[in-house]
Amino acid sequence: MTVWSELTRDRDNRPLHATLIDPASTPGEEARPIAEAAADAGSDLFLLGGSTDVSKSDVQECVEAIEEVAEVPVFLFPSGSDQFAPGLDGLLFTLTVNSTRPELIVEEPAKGATPVRKSGLEAVTTAYVIVEPGMTVGEVAEANLVTRDIEGCQRAARYASLADVLGLDAIYLEAGSGAPDPVPEDMIEAAAEPDVPMIVGGGIRSPEAAAEAARAGADLIVTGTLAEDGDLEELEALIERLGKVQG
Ligand code: 1GP
């Protein structure tokens, strides 16, 4: 059984949490206490990635630091196939479906597909959907942002259907790291109807915001900034709160 299928098999009963760490801005020494706090509180997955330049050695240092203190799977959330470091358990293999740069939808994934196959890493195929305001990733992808209105909810639902029909492993609704507000609940609800595991992230900084997203239908809540800003107590409270939400 893959790590992803094992993680998501009980998703109807229990929402999951992933801790996002940017190995370029958070080297191993700084990642270690975050990983320890997150794992102790019950975080289910570490995602290593960032919009800036992340090198293989940054990733490797982070993986090693996490492995020292946590027995939690570590996936790469890559921006290039030169970041596959030893020790990773898998990766998110994303198609940025609402980018206006065609190469991000097909050409870049096509370039990455052979190295991914050869790496033997578990690849979680993911429709990556960038929602307003999108922040840095929205700019880099030149995304045709999904708007926070009824039309945007309908678009999110269509992307979820697309992920379902294509047989992808996940859909990821992303408001962008540091977004002032998380992805709206009605958008999560709209995208939850096709039964595709749903990852939601961007701007989730409080236990209540995480719980609301989970109640709306998110299966995996991603938080990054909270821990990177050093608020480990709030991170622990958020993860513990999620553990009390019925999926
Ligand atoms: C993951 O980009 C997010 O989807 C992380 O967002 O840094 O706002 O938690 P934050």
Side-chain angles (χ1 to χ4, degrees), residues 40-143:
D40 286 352
S43 193
D44 300 279
L45 179 69
F46 288 99
L47 287 175
L48 302 185
S51 313
T52 51
D53 286 339
V54 177
S55 72
K56 181 175 173 175
S57 61
D58 295 334
V59 174
Q60 185 160 355
E61 195 187 311
C62 239
V63 174
E64 286 168 2
I66 292 170
E67 279 176 346
E68 281 171 24
V69 292
E71 284 185 25
V72 174
V74 184
F75 275 30
L76 184 65
F77 185 7
S79 47
S81 55
D82 50 354
Q83 298 164 350
F84 303 162
L88 287 165
D89 296 293
L91 58 91
L92 293 189
F93 189 80
T94 54
L95 308 181
T96 308
V97 291
N98 63 328
S99 172
T100 61
R101 291 173 54 192
E103 70 269 25
L104 288 192
I105 305 172
V106 179
E107 289 308 323
E108 286 299 324
K111 275 187 211 157
T114 302
V116 166
R117 283 178 47 234
K118 290 190 172 163
S119 72
L121 285 171
E122 175 180 328
V124 176
T125 56
T126 305
Y128 190 51
V129 178
I130 307 177
V131 177
E132 284 181 332
M135 311 304 281
T136 305
V137 72
E139 282 171 29
V140 172
E142 296 173 28

Side-chain angles (χ1 to χ4, degrees), residues 6-52:
E6 198 166 335
L7 275 176
T8 54
R9 99 185 130 173
D10 288 334
R11 70 184 196 277
D12 290 343
N13 300 322
R14 185 176 81 86
L16 303 162
H17 177 267
T19 306
L20 176 70
I21 295 176
D22 182 341
S25 60
T26 310
E29 276 305 304
E30 290 172 34
R32 194 175 291 113
I34 295 174
E36 194 161 22
D40 286 352
S43 193
D44 300 279
L45 179 69
F46 288 99
L47 287 175
L48 302 185
S51 313
T52 51

Side-chain angles (χ1 to χ4, degrees), residues 118-189:
K118 290 190 172 163
S119 72
L121 285 171
E122 175 180 328
V124 176
T125 56
T126 305
Y128 190 51
V129 178
I130 307 177
V131 177
E132 284 181 332
M135 311 304 281
T136 305
V137 72
E139 282 171 29
V140 172
E142 296 173 28
N144 174 13
L145 297 171
V146 174
T147 50
R148 292 170 173 257
D149 54 12
I150 290 175
E151 197 194 321
C153 292
Q154 291 166 343
R155 267 180 83 196
R158 285 200 295 272
Y159 290 134
S161 287
L162 177 73
D164 190 23
V165 171
L166 289 176
L168 302 183
D169 297 310
I171 178 168
Y172 190 150
L173 300 182
E174 167 73 271
S177 184
D181 297 299
V183 173
E185 285 160 68
D186 50 356
M187 188 175 293
I188 296 171
E189 279 169 17

